[in-house]
Amino acid sequence: MSVGDVAADDRAYVSEQLIAAQPPPPEARRWSKARIAGLILLGIWTAVAAGLVLFFIREWNPSLLQRYGPRLLHGLLVTIELVGIAVIVGAALACLVGAARLSRNKFIGTFAYAYVYFFRGTPLLAQTFLVYYGAGQFRDSFEAAGLWWFFRDAFNCAALTFTLNTAAYQAEIFQGAIRGVQRGQWEGARALGLSRTVIFFKVIAPQALITALRPLGNEIIFMIKGSAIASVITVYDLMGETRLAFSRSFDFQVYLWAAGLYLILVETLRRFWDAFEARLTRHLKRAEQTPKGKRVVDTQMGA
Amino acid sequence: MADLFSLLSFGPDGWGDELLAGLGVTVALALVTLPVGLVLGFLLALAKDSGDRALVSASTILTTIFRGLPELLTLFIIYYGGQIALQQLFRLLFDRYIEFSSFTAGVIALSLVFASFASEVFLSAFRGIQSGQYEGSYALGLRPTSTMRLVILPQLIKLALPGLSNLWLILLKDTSLVSVIALNDLLRNTNIAVGVTKEPFFFYAVACLIYLSLSLLSSVGIGSIDRWARRGEGAR
């Protein structure tokens, strides 16, 4: 029996009898206060969900759904239309106001600041009343100017107010994002001999828009939620149809349907916006930040 | 023009006293909502930061719902739905009829919304505090509650203040929504004044100016809170 054979036997013993090296077992989950509180709260949520299911089973009203379901969906379309118009026209207006905010002309800058301050400092509901009922007071002058057809319709007034409101918020987002781009970017582009327009559109705007993306998404969500206010001035958006259905049927479940629709709308937009942002900023992600890459680095360090 | 301003006088002919009473309700609503929302938001942030799966998901469900729903709808659901649920509960338990006011409904709805957004602000503020701060205070032998009170909170206020003051301004404006559930706040009293005097543009403009001055006043207050929170940083 040679020495080499013993070593081979030992190797066989080691590989067959001993347990291979394994990661440590997961930490035992203790009954901490946080865990107990969490389970109790989850229990409450489960009870709420069960209560809702029970409520819908007991109170389920097919005729109500048949009667008001399509109207609610139509209201949802009106909401989307209202928000779409406000956000898109508002963005165009916001570019102007934002440019005015950044202007070196003191008068223009102050005027734009006053505009932004007014629309951000007062409630959307009060603004809507101001435009809708205020316009009614000046009916004669609007008729003379040939504008009455516009202000007669509550939808137009709501769309106008929301546009002016979101323009103020978006202008702040845009000008903040543009100010956030480092000076060096301007100076570098200047040194390359680019014109101001080219610098703005090719160098500054692309970087600013990336910073603006997240607050812009939040602003759209705020607008969706705020658009429910239009129902107060008799616009039949989702909220308006819901209030109408409730005032006729006195059945509370229409509010819960509307809540579901709003939540779906907002969550869809939020997820879409996250994906959109991830797509637009994909050049900023680094490959080695993935967990897999990190592990490779770790093992190399260990060796 | 002088006629218009005489409408704002105090007394039986003018609407000044009504608007002032409405302003009082608006401010009271915001001031009652603020502490409730702050405490609830702080607890929600603690829950989200706890790392316990059940607690995190329970609090995330709450904030997702109230961040996604329109404030007006939340208000209606609390006002009508809460009324129904509470009445059922009291009939079942105590055989008594109970009703809660639109002020209570406003406080509940607005503080739920405020807390949901505030929890995000607190959470990102927590992320801004280095773990060395916790380790240092444990090393000094401070209990977790003392650590929170003496070490973490003073730094947290500084980090969370910009976000929270934003939420306070939003809250001030959102109080106007309670006018829709018949609470006599500033905007509803303005509505009544408009109904009587038929001067909508003037009165709504006045209401807007009052809201504006409220937020102006708030910015001054927030500025001094900010200076107080930064008092440890030395003069600059």
Side-chain angles (χ1 to χ4, degrees), chain A residues 45 120 137 169 225 239, chain B residues 58 67 76 173 199 201 216:
Chain A
W45 275 122
R120 298 203 331 160
Q137 195 179 354
Y169 283 93
K225 294 173 16 173
M239 189 72 196
Chain B
R67 270 154 39 107
F76 280 138
K173 291 183 282 170
E199 287 286 350
F201 190 80
L216 205 68

Side-chain angles (χ1 to χ4, degrees), chain B residues 36-221:
Chain B
V36 181
L38 276 179
V39 170
L40 193 60
F42 186 72
L43 291 179
L44 280 172
L46 280 183
K48 281 185 183 175
D49 207 30
S50 68
D52 182 79
R53 234 178 303 148
L55 200 54
V56 170
S57 42
S59 45
T60 310
I61 293 172
L62 186 85
T63 54
T64 310
I65 290 177
F66 288 106
R67 270 154 39 107
L69 284 184
E71 290 79 0
L72 195 60
L73 187 59
T74 309
L75 200 60
F76 280 138
I77 287 180
I78 301 281
Y79 187 53
Y80 295 118
Q83 205 93 278
I84 295 171
L86 212 66
Q87 274 167 24
Q88 298 275 358
L89 198 70
F90 264 71
R91 228 184 14 219
L92 216 68
L93 293 180
F94 308 107
D95 197 28
R96 217 171 20 172
Y97 180 81
I98 190 173
E99 193 172 287
F100 65 54
S101 63
S102 44
F103 189 88
T104 320
V107 169
I108 295 174
L110 290 176
S111 46
L112 281 173
V113 175
F114 186 94
S116 302
F117 283 98
S119 74
E120 293 293 310
V121 172
F122 280 126
L123 198 60
S124 60
F126 271 125
R127 300 275 146 82
I129 293 174
Q130 290 152 5
S131 54
Q133 298 289 331
Y134 291 94
E135 290 158 7
S137 65
Y138 292 152
L140 288 174
L142 293 177
R143 265 175 283 130
T145 42
S146 311
T147 305
M148 184 55 80
R149 193 167 57 85
L150 298 172
V151 181
I152 305 303
L153 261 183
Q155 304 182 61
L156 197 73
I157 292 171
K158 216 157 53 181
L159 290 172
L161 194 66
L164 290 180
S165 52
N166 227 347
L167 288 180
W168 162 253
L169 294 177
I170 293 174
L171 171 67
L172 263 184
K173 291 183 282 170
D174 278 350
T175 54
S176 66
L177 295 176
V178 295
S179 64
V180 183
I181 54 168
L183 180 61
N184 285 323
D185 78 324
L186 174 58
L187 197 59
R188 189 173 154 81
N189 280 0
T190 312
N191 282 341
I192 296 170
V194 166
V196 175
T197 60
K198 307 281 180 249
E199 287 286 350
F201 190 80
F202 174 72
F203 272 107
Y204 287 125
V206 167
C208 281
L209 286 182
I210 295 177
Y211 278 111
L212 263 188
S213 41
L214 274 186
S215 50
L216 205 68
L217 211 68
S218 307
S219 345
V220 174

